[in-house]
């Protein structure tokens, strides 16, 4: 789905939501409650996207990936393992969209610079962009919504609840990727040169800002506060050193419009009682079978209609117990590996690959995802039952 279509759908949903408010289907108080819940999430999304985009323009991701290639000392498997670690950290702290959009072309360029096939590295970024997004509240938009439904709405409580599922999801993902690409990841390569940094001062200041922001995202502050501060600092630095880079396109307004429309539509559906019907079949249990049912519904919903709509539709049926809400997150975060539209990050990833001249047939993507997703989701739920 291209950004224009995304914006059009979001705009249509906002108009429909406005009509529902005017007609009394959604009370004004209900709309205000939705706005109060959503604005910190959207401010974070905008701010962290600006930080990631500007850091990428300064060459931060390029230099980090190239240094990993040097540290691997020509061993392909070790380089891949380092890319795995980089993808997990990038997803955890800067969100899955950052990994899909900004890290993908970087690892493809590093693979090509060192004479390696880009496909193992490209698939690693997109799968881990989804499955590693269980790590922290800021890793995924769904997490930012869910964390305020937990009894203790702080990062440490979220990590304590999701640490087991996140660890299992990442490990199983890596094992499947290794089994799939182990032959291509054998052998050695002659390391390529480090990329040239056009403005060392801009690079250094960008690296410092990102390095300071990342721990602050899990410090107990509302995530939008350090992200916004980092965005303002980087915008000031770029206005000084490279003002032509500052454009309106840095703001992911299409995603903001789309997400706003979805939130309002979900509020209308909840007010009308539609979501009660959706969640009735999921029961109320917290045993393993019940949690598998919640996670499975989330994974199926994500692959049919997208992970964010699936979360919003199923949240009322899962929010009565932390383990059920966590199981839903496992389904909607780690499950979108089958259909291209299951996660916006996947669509963005594919567009970036096409721009880099790397073609990935959707048939191959779907077949491998259909094999991996049930296994990853099923195993990641198990820690929640004990």
């Amino acid at each position: 789905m291209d950004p224009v279509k995304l914006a059009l759908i979001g705009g249509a949903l906002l108009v429909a939501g406005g009509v529902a408010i005017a007609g009394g289907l959604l009370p004004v108080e209900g709309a205000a409650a939705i706005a109060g819940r959503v604005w910190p999430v959207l401010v974070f999304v905008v701010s962290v996207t600006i930080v990631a985009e500007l850091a990428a323009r300064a060459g931060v991701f390029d230099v980090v990936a190239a240094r990993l290639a040097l540290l691997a000392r020509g061993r392909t498997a070790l380089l891949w393992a380092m890319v795995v670690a980089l993808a997990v950290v990038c997803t955890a702290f800067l969100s899955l969209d950052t990994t899909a959009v900004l890290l993908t072309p970087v690892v493809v360029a590093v693979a090509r610079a060192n004479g390696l096939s880009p496909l193992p590295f490209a698939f690693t970024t997109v799968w881990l962009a989804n499955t590693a997004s269980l790590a922290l509240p800021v890793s995924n938009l769904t997490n930012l919504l869910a964390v305020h439904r937990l009894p203790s709405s702080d990062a440490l409580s979220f990590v304590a609840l999701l640490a087991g599922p996140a660890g299992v999801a990442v490990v199983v993902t890596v094992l499947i990727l290794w089994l799939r690409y182990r032959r291509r990841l054998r052998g050695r390569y002659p390391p390529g040169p480090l990329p040239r940094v056009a403005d060392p001062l801009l690079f250094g200041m960008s690296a410092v800002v990102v390095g300071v922001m990342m721990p602050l995202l899990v410090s107990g502050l509302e995530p939008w506060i350090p992200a916004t501060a980092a965005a303002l600092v980087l915008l000031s630095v770029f206005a000084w050193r490279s003002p032509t880079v500052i454009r309106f396109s840095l703001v992911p307004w299409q995603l903001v419009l789309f997400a706003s429309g979805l939130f309002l539509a979900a509020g209308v559906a909840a007010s009308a009682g539609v979501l009660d019907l959706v969640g009735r079949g999921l029961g109320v249990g917290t045993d393993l079978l019940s949690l598998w049912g919640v996670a499975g519904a989330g994974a199926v919903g994500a692959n049919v209609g997208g992970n964010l709509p699936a979360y919003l539709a199923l949240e009322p049926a899962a929010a009565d117990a932390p383990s059920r809400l966590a199981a839903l997150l496992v389904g909607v975060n780690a499950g979108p590996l089958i259909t291209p539209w299951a996660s916006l990050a996947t669509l963005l990833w594919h567009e970036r690959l096409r721009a880099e001249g790397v073609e990935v047939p959707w048939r191959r993507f779907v077949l491998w995802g259909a094999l991996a997703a049930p296994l990853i989701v099923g195993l990641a739920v198990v820690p929640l039952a004990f």
Side-chain angles (χ1 to χ4, degrees), residues 62-83 85-86 110 114 188-194:
D62 293 316
V63 170
V64 169
R67 287 199 176 276
L68 293 182
L70 288 178
L71 287 173
R73 299 190 177 185
R75 288 167 287 187
T76 306
L78 183 55
L79 173 60
W80 178 75
M82 290 180 173
V83 168
L86 181 59
V110 168
N114 293 286
R188 302 180 69 89
Y189 61 89
L194 284 174

Side-chain angles (χ1 to χ4, degrees), residues 60-315:
V60 173
F61 295 114
D62 293 316
V63 170
V64 169
R67 287 199 176 276
L68 293 182
L70 288 178
L71 287 173
R73 299 190 177 185
R75 288 167 287 187
T76 306
L78 183 55
L79 173 60
W80 178 75
M82 290 180 173
V83 168
V84 166
L86 181 59
V88 170
V89 171
C90 184
T91 300
F93 288 95
L94 299 177
S95 86
L96 74 168
D97 293 331
T98 297
T99 299
V101 173
L102 299 178
L103 191 59
T104 296
V106 170
V107 299
V108 167
V110 168
R112 284 173 166 169
N114 293 286
L116 302 172
S117 168
L119 281 180
F121 299 91
F123 265 92
T124 296
T125 57
V126 73
W127 275 21
L128 285 173
N130 288 288
T131 61
S133 69
L134 290 164
L136 296 172
V138 297
S139 307
N140 199 322
L141 189 56
T142 54
N143 300 352
L144 288 169
L145 294 171
V147 71
H148 294 290
R149 292 282 189 171
L150 297 175
S152 297
S153 57
D154 59 86
L156 291 179
S157 299
F158 182 93
V159 171
L161 178 64
L162 270 299
V168 171
V170 168
V171 169
V172 176
T173 300
V174 172
L175 286 175
I176 295 173
L177 286 166
W178 171 254
L179 290 173
R180 178 181 178 184
Y181 287 116
R182 64 189 183 280
R183 293 180 180 175
R184 297 194 192 189
L185 295 174
R186 292 173 181 166
R188 302 180 69 89
Y189 61 89
L194 284 174
R196 189 181 70 86
V197 175
D199 187 334
L201 180 59
L202 189 61
F203 166 81
M205 296 183 75
S206 299
V208 168
V209 169
V210 173
V212 171
M213 181 192 72
M214 289 170 64
L216 289 177
L217 292 176
V218 291
S219 66
L221 292 170
E222 286 287 332
W224 68 269
I225 297 174
T228 302
L232 291 174
V233 170
L234 276 187
L235 285 170
S236 300
V237 172
F238 271 80
W240 169 42
R241 302 291 296 183
S242 184
T244 57
V245 170
I246 300 177
R247 299 175 182 174
F248 182 67
S249 58
L250 288 173
V251 178
W253 62 271
Q254 299 96 335
L255 177 58
V256 171
L257 196 60
F258 178 67
S260 301
L262 280 178
F263 292 137
L264 191 56
V268 173
S271 181
V274 175
L275 299 187
D276 296 336
L277 298 175
V278 173
R280 229 171 244 177
L282 295 182
V284 294
T286 56
D287 57 283
L288 184 56
L289 285 177
S290 298
L291 297 178
W292 270 338
V294 174
V300 171
N303 283 289
V304 170
N307 61 341
L308 186 55
Y311 174 81
L312 292 171
L314 296 171
E315 183 193 59

